[in-house]
Amino acid sequence: MENLFGDQDLYPPESGNNFADIILPVPIPRMFTYSIPHTMQPEINLGARVIVPFGKKKVLTGIIGKVHNKPPQAYQAKPILEVLDDTPSVNPLQIRFWVWMAEYYFCHIGEVMHAALPSGLRLSSESKVQLNPNYDRETSKFPLDDREIMILDALDSKPELSYEDCEKVLSIKSIHPILKSLVKKEAILIFERLQEKYTPKVETRVRLTPPIAESKSALQEVFEALAGKAKQESILLKYLRDVPFLQKPKSNEKGLDKATLLEEGDSESSLKTLIKNGIFESFKVVVNRLAEEEAESEPAVLSTSQQSAFEEIKHQFESKQSVLLHGVTGSGKTEIYIQMIMEVLESGSQVLLLLPEIALTTQIVTRLKKVFGSKMGVYHSKYSDNERVEVWNGVLSGRFSFVVGVRSSIFLPFDSLGLIIVDEEHESSYKQFDPAPRFQARDSAIMLAYFHQARTLLGSATPSFESYFNATQGKFGYVELTNRFGNASMPQFHLADLAADKRKNLLKLDTTRILRERIQEALAKQEQVLIFQNRRGYSPYIQCEDCGWTGQCVQCDVSLTYHQFSEELRCHYCGYKEKTPSACPACGSTHLTTMGMGTERIEESLSLLFPEARIGRMDLDTTRNKHGYQRLLDEFGSGNLDILVGTQMITKGLDFGRVTVVGIWDGDRILNFPDFRAGERAFQQITQVAGRAGRREVQGQVIVQTRDPETQIYAQVIKGDYFEFFNHEIHDRKKFYYPPFVKLVKITTRHTDFKVAEKAALNLHHGMAEIPIKKIVLGPEKGIIARIKNQYQFESLIKLDRSGNTPVIFKEHLWKITEELKSRPEFRSVRFVVDVDPS
Ligand code: ADP
Ligand code: ZN
Ligand code: ZN
């Protein structure tokens, strides 16, 4: 077997590259090196898919990641068997980007490839059978039986057969012994072949047949003939209504989609009769899944301050690769993006605009579509695979020179990016948590732009500390917009003291007096209200008043959240759910009470306080299906709702003119985040949600309910003084060794057995402590949640000196340590999850 393709390898060319490193869809850390047979030399392109032998008898499809002249040290290179693409499906810039990502985020290149390719293009393997090219039926010393001959005969007429084909050929199910015998006799090869999962969308269309379409009198006759046949007549009339064929004879060629023709309830059988009688004909066409829309509006004229920000960005791009645009909420960053995008597109380069997940269905996309029309592709995580493949192919074919997308759109096959814009660059959802690659899309975008020699524009009203720090260091350019667009002023803040109101008996259903008054005023003026609480469900816990029991997840060490609507207790970590018990499972008492407030409960409280108001709720529970989010936004936007209660979702980029009041239900909850980023997050979240208020003429009112109005961070948010806030916080970051002063790596050790997990984590710790670089190793500690989905977890946090190649050395050692640990039988099923730059 090993030598079957060997001959080709015996005569390497004088010059050229003889070896290729192949990215394989298997969990191995590095690429595998194969030799390039002489005859294939001209076809070998970076990014092309190839078929290679792997292991003893397996064949895999992979992608060429590198070509070079160095034979592998540790093993004898096997030859590439076949090249699948003449034109590579992945370009060299993408490959460079993948290689960088795998190294930087400490994962396998196969994992990056898996994340990068939409599953419609992924290398999924299906076993196929083909003739062994070295086999000669005449001279072979092995006799064949009848069934084996049937398979070989079939392979004479078809280059390859699937297992299913073989079953058909033999009309039996158990083909394996036969195939196995044929492999042994060196007559066939079994290989894993790439299967294209993408299927184009085919539409059945209907049109008038040429004899009818070409003469008015023929059509007249048809009508006469159909007199009294109401059903058929109605189909013909509908057709003539939708296809203006009498005015524009050519329009008959395109015809009408069959589903549209029959949508008013006309019957399929009547249409069949019309087809049988030669009046209509049906035909099939491949159509785009992505709707074509033409640009219909001009970009806005920039205000004076927007214009000067725009000029300043361009000026800074002359000397900086990345620029941070720090513009207050409502300053009109979108219009500046539009101008930038137009300029870059005109110069012939491509543009990518990244948006946080949830913002993608909102107004900003609608606005951009109006300006850019069908030039713009949208890459959404809720798209079907086939739709994603169409965006991918659209980028390849040049149909989309501009794409708006979620974090995974950095993997699209761009070949000449000129600009990447990262809107709301501070958003933590740009970081992928699970699975690997655990990449930060903003940081990766900067790297991608670097590979393309492109520019990166980062926009935010509340920049991340990393980006702002880079700006203060001169690494990024920095442009500021301090005014809202038009006459809109910044909102006015009120701190509502929960404890004081409670003392004075002014608290009703957990609302302070001032919050109630402001809501009441807004409702009276037909203005709208947003209420923010970062906790979904009805109330976080259900507790027994007698024995203190609370519901716990059976798979994770967390309390279950009470969902009143479905009468369930649910785990927000693993999705486990159970019916709410009517009595305490521990002591049998029926005194079960709810504690704390989730969005569902707030919605209920508000409907008791404001019975006349129309209230909607936006959280993970109400937006699970594809259109839930959009529907709620439409209802709110069109004024069908007065109050919208929601989680983080309502803070993301919404621009509704009639929102004048924003209530932050529990400000303290936002502050109490167990992380060094708590302050940064709180500043961002409160400023962002407040930024939804008063975006037009009427000044917005923001009410923050708190038990601790003296907290410093509130004063800083209210002043809107990001600089002061930053200076205060950055001091602590430096003192306690946190980013941006050090590089963080978090390693989670997981196992179903507590003891095994703990021991592995300790071993890992000792190994890391010995790496000869400047670092601080913290932990291992039990995870914030000690057990998730039955896996115990221990976390280690490593703080690395940023200078030189310390991180690189660290990672090299870390590979060795984890590999060594995993090779010990006791730790074989332990998982080490490495997260670089965790957030
Ligand atoms: P940001 O993203 O900075 O919070 P937006 O881009 O949503 O702000 O702009 C806020 C509002 O101002 C939007 O309704 C937008 O349509 C409007 N706007 C911004 N700039 C202009 C402009 N130059 N001409 C007309 N309207 C504008
Ligand atoms: Zn009890
Ligand atoms: Zn759970």
Side-chain angles (χ1 to χ4, degrees):
M1 275 297 289
E2 306 300 334
N3 292 324
L4 288 177
F5 295 87
D7 314 9
Q8 295 169 331
D9 231 10
L10 287 175
Y11 310 106
E14 308 283 24
S15 62
N17 293 314
N18 303 327
F19 296 96
D21 292 350
I22 309 296
I23 307 168
L24 293 173
V26 289
I28 43 168
R30 289 185 185 86
M31 295 193 265
F32 256 58
T33 305
Y34 288 86
S35 63
I36 307 173
H38 182 43
T39 49
M40 274 180 209
Q41 293 266 342
E43 305 170 75
I44 292 289
N45 289 311
L46 228 55
R49 295 173 301 181
V50 290
I51 295 182
V52 293
F54 187 77
K56 282 240 157 58
K57 284 233 157 81
K58 229 174 148 181
V59 185
L60 287 175
T61 311
I63 287 182
I64 302 175
K66 198 175 168 190
V67 284
H68 56 86
N69 253 322
K70 276 191 253 101
Q73 300 290 307
Y75 52 95
Q76 172 86 37
K78 292 181 192 174
I80 292 173
L81 300 181
E82 203 179 320
V83 183
L84 289 176
D85 303 308
D86 303 336
T87 37
S89 40
V90 178
N91 70 47
L93 285 168
Q94 287 176 282
I95 302 270
R96 264 182 88 185
F97 184 53
W98 294 3
V99 171
W100 166 79
M101 184 173 275
E103 275 170 14
Y104 187 87
Y105 290 106
F106 200 83
C107 63
H108 302 151
I109 184 118
E111 289 171 323
V112 178
M113 177 169 76
H114 190 81
L117 297 177
S119 52
L121 289 178
R122 238 172 247 162
L123 311 171
S124 81
S125 39
E126 185 200 9
S127 294
K128 297 258 181 154
V129 175
Q130 71 171 41
L131 274 181
N132 183 337
N134 288 15
Y135 177 73
D136 186 343
R137 232 195 268 193
E138 311 300 309
T139 59
S140 169
K141 55 182 187 281
F142 306 109
L144 301 171
D145 70 19
D146 288 351
R147 284 180 167 155
E148 291 171 354
I149 291 172
M150 282 164 79
I151 296 280
L152 294 187
D153 284 350
L155 280 171
D156 278 337
S157 53
K158 252 180 123 185
E160 58 184 54
L161 297 175
S162 67
Y163 280 16
E164 233 177 29
D165 295 334
C166 296
E167 285 169 8
K168 276 196 204 126
V169 167
L170 300 177
S171 316
I172 55 165
K173 276 277 163 208
S174 56
I175 52 163
H176 290 271
I178 299 154
L179 295 180
K180 208 170 148 194
S181 155
L182 280 169
V183 170
K184 230 167 143 189
K185 293 175 183 173
E186 296 176 0
I188 62 165
L189 295 172
I190 296 175
F191 69 102
E192 315 282 313
R193 167 70 110 177
L194 170 104
Q195 190 189 15
E196 293 263 4
K197 279 204 261 167
Y198 168 70
T199 40
K201 183 172 172 188
V202 177
E203 206 171 78
T204 306
R205 300 181 74 88
V206 177
R207 65 186 164 207
L208 292 169
T209 56
I212 311 287
E214 275 153 26
S215 113
K216 281 218 170 96
S217 60
L219 185 63
Q220 195 59 41
E221 279 166 33
V222 169
F223 265 112
E224 280 160 24
L226 289 183
K229 295 173 184 156
K231 284 183 186 164
Q232 293 180 41
E233 197 178 23
S234 128
I235 292 179
L236 183 58
L237 284 171
K238 159 100 173 146
Y239 183 84
L240 294 176
R241 189 153 30 95
D242 286 8
V243 181
F245 138 83
L246 294 171
Q247 294 85 34
K248 283 194 254 162
K250 273 218 158 279
S251 61
N252 184 58
E253 261 169 50
K254 268 179 88 180
L256 188 63
D257 170 31
K258 184 172 138 196
T260 314
L261 186 59
L262 298 179
E263 79 192 348
E264 284 162 20
D266 290 313
S267 78
E268 176 119 29
S269 66
S270 308
L271 177 62
K272 271 201 184 130
T273 313
L274 287 165
I275 293 173
K276 203 176 73 203
N277 294 339
I279 297 162
F280 278 113
E281 60 186 12
S282 86
F283 61 106
K284 291 188 189 311
V285 287
V286 174
V287 294
N288 283 324
R289 284 192 175 77
L290 311 165
E292 289 277 354
E293 279 165 67
E294 283 319 306
E296 55 182 58
S297 81
E298 292 290 309
V301 178
L302 296 185
S303 69
T304 324
S305 50
Q306 285 172 334
Q307 183 66 32
S308 58
F310 172 63
E311 300 293 342
E312 184 58 23
I313 294 168
K314 287 201 291 181
H315 176 66
Q316 303 230 3
F317 272 152
E318 286 166 19
S319 57
K320 311 265 179 199
Q321 196 219 309
S322 308
V323 171
L324 173 62
L325 172 61
H326 183 185
V328 296
T329 54
S331 55
K333 293 182 283 294
T334 315
E335 295 301 329
I336 297 180
Y337 299 157
I338 290 174
Q339 297 290 338
M340 295 293 308
I341 296 164
M342 297 216 314
E343 281 208 7
V344 176
L345 290 179
E346 266 160 37
S347 77
S349 296
Q350 299 162 319
V351 179
L352 170 64
L353 169 57
L354 290 179
L355 290 176
E357 187 89 32
I358 196 72
L360 253 194
T361 39
T362 59
Q363 296 138 315
I364 179 162
V365 175
T366 315
R367 172 81 190 114
L368 294 165
K369 260 263 144 9
K370 284 214 173 101
V371 178
F372 295 99
S374 55
K375 254 190 282 184
M376 174 177 119
V378 180
Y379 201 65
H380 197 289
S381 58
K382 286 192 175 167
Y383 270 5
S384 71
D385 264 345
N386 283 326
E387 285 169 313
R388 285 163 175 244
V389 173
E390 284 188 11
V391 179
W392 180 283
N393 289 337
V395 172
L396 271 183
S397 70
R399 179 176 161 212
F400 300 131
S401 41
F402 167 36
V403 175
V404 178
V406 288
R407 59 170 187 250
S408 54
S409 55
I410 57 175
F411 295 118
L412 286 167
F414 297 107
D415 57 9
S416 60
L417 278 170
L419 174 68
I420 304 181
I421 300 172
V422 186
D423 189 33
E424 311 286 357
E425 64 87 28
H426 62 277
E427 269 289 322
S428 53
S429 65
Y430 280 128
K431 172 81 187 195
Q432 169 147 324
F433 288 106
D434 220 23
R438 296 179 172 79
F439 65 99
Q440 213 308 344
R442 173 198 61 222
D443 299 344
S444 304
I446 293 173
M447 207 58 202
L448 180 65
Y450 169 76
F451 288 143
H452 282 259
Q453 298 297 303
R455 302 279 177 259
T456 317
L457 180 61
L458 310 174
S460 176
T462 50
S464 65
F465 263 47
E466 282 79 358
S467 298
Y468 197 81
F469 182 73
N470 280 328
T472 61
Q473 301 291 302
K475 212 170 147 196
F476 290 179
Y478 179 75
V479 176
E480 214 177 353
L481 263 174
T482 49
N483 305 321
R484 283 189 156 182
F485 175 76
N487 294 323
S489 45
M490 295 308 285
Q492 194 185 1
F493 276 88
H494 307 269
L495 290 174
D497 189 336
L498 283 161
D501 268 29
K502 181 153 194 183
R503 270 199 313 277
K504 296 183 215 148
N505 239 339
L506 290 171
L507 211 57
K508 276 192 204 157
L509 297 174
D510 291 285
T511 58
T512 48
R513 194 191 59 186
I514 179 157
L515 180 62
R516 288 194 304 277
E517 282 176 2
R518 288 295 136 93
I519 295 176
Q520 196 63 63
E521 284 162 22
L523 293 177
K525 286 187 263 175
Q526 253 111 71
E527 293 165 357
Q528 291 177 306
V529 178
L530 284 178
I531 302 290
F532 170 73
Q533 167 76 326
N534 59 353
R535 174 106 218 187
R536 69 191 160 97
Y538 185 74
S539 64
Y541 313 107
I542 186 159
Q543 194 170 43
C544 171
E545 286 181 10
D546 294 326
C547 76
W549 170 90
T550 56
Q552 295 283 318
C553 178
V554 294
Q555 311 189 73
C556 316
D557 286 345
V558 292
S559 306
L560 296 169
T561 301
Y562 176 46
H563 287 246
Q564 187 203 34
F565 180 72
S566 52
E567 274 301 320
E568 276 169 350
L569 299 178
R570 287 194 211 153
C571 172
H572 285 187
Y573 285 87
C574 72
Y576 168 84
K577 56 189 175 191
E578 60 184 45
K579 278 273 157 234
T580 310
S582 50
C584 171
C587 74
S589 157
T590 51
H591 298 138
L592 298 177
T593 54
T594 53
M595 321 261 298
M597 296 286 250
T599 43
E600 197 182 337
R601 173 115 174 237
I602 293 171
E603 182 189 12
E604 185 186 277
S605 302
L606 290 172
S607 66
L608 293 171
L609 293 168
F610 306 100
E612 73 292 358
R614 293 160 301 172
I615 305 176
R617 169 162 61 93
M618 182 181 284
D619 54 29
L620 214 62
D621 298 315
T622 59
T623 57
R624 249 177 243 286
N625 70 27
K626 192 168 170 181
H627 303 293
Y629 183 72
Q630 191 60 48
R631 213 190 47 239
L632 270 167
L633 284 187
D634 288 346
E635 271 189 61
F636 194 63
S638 62
N640 283 335
L641 291 173
D642 304 306
I643 304 178
L644 186 60
V645 182
T647 54
Q648 278 85 327
M649 285 186 184
I650 64 167
T651 66
K652 316 273 151 114
L654 299 189
D655 181 45
F656 288 115
R658 284 170 51 210
V659 174
T660 55
V661 173
V662 165
I664 296 177
W665 195 265
D666 185 351
D668 307 335
R669 223 194 114 78
I670 303 177
L671 296 181
N672 299 331
F673 199 82
D675 188 304
F676 70 95
R677 267 183 238 275
E680 181 185 349
R681 287 260 168 71
F683 190 96
Q684 285 162 352
Q685 236 172 39
I686 298 173
T687 309
Q688 290 289 347
V689 67
R692 304 307 120 210
R695 291 167 70 91
R696 302 293 187 271
E697 295 78 28
V698 185
Q699 190 189 23
Q701 308 285 325
V702 179
I703 293 94
V704 185
Q705 303 202 112
T706 168
R707 264 160 242 96
D708 192 6
E710 301 303 319
T711 307
Q712 194 176 17
I713 209 164
Y714 289 133
Q716 286 160 341
V717 173
I718 290 170
K719 262 207 265 169
D721 196 336
Y722 181 89
F723 187 66
E724 184 193 313
F725 167 69
F726 176 85
N727 276 335
H728 176 84
E729 283 272 318
I730 203 79
H731 182 74
D732 285 356
R733 297 267 183 111
K734 189 166 187 175
K735 191 160 133 205
F736 299 112
Y737 300 107
Y738 275 109
F741 298 98
V742 297
K743 197 156 238 341
L744 284 188
V745 178
K746 185 169 104 185
I747 307 179
T748 310
T749 307
R750 292 198 185 134
H751 196 264
T752 45
D753 184 325
F754 181 89
K755 284 256 153 61
V756 175
E758 186 178 39
K759 192 169 170 201
L762 280 169
N763 273 287
L764 174 69
H765 178 92
H766 294 139
M768 290 193 299
E770 279 164 27
I771 304 176
I773 47 163
K774 250 173 107 180
K775 64 181 178 315
I776 299 169
V777 182
L778 302 174
E781 276 179 42
K782 267 192 264 175
I784 297 177
I785 296 152
R787 185 176 54 128
I788 294 183
K789 294 188 198 168
N790 281 328
Q791 300 257 332
Y792 288 93
Q793 8 194 51
F794 285 85
E795 289 174 356
S796 301
L797 194 64
I798 300 94
K799 296 176 174 182
L800 297 173
D801 196 90
R802 297 179 61 95
S803 60
N805 58 349
T806 302
V808 177
I809 299 172
F810 173 76
K811 284 183 231 173
E812 273 169 12
H813 280 86
L814 186 59
W815 275 122
K816 289 194 198 123
I817 297 167
T818 52
E819 289 303 302
E820 193 276 316
L821 287 174
K822 285 183 70 78
S823 70
R824 298 192 205 168
E826 55 177 329
F827 298 141
R828 223 186 37 226
S829 49
V830 169
R831 279 192 66 206
F832 297 106
V833 177
V834 179
D835 192 353
V836 178
D837 300 337
S839 66

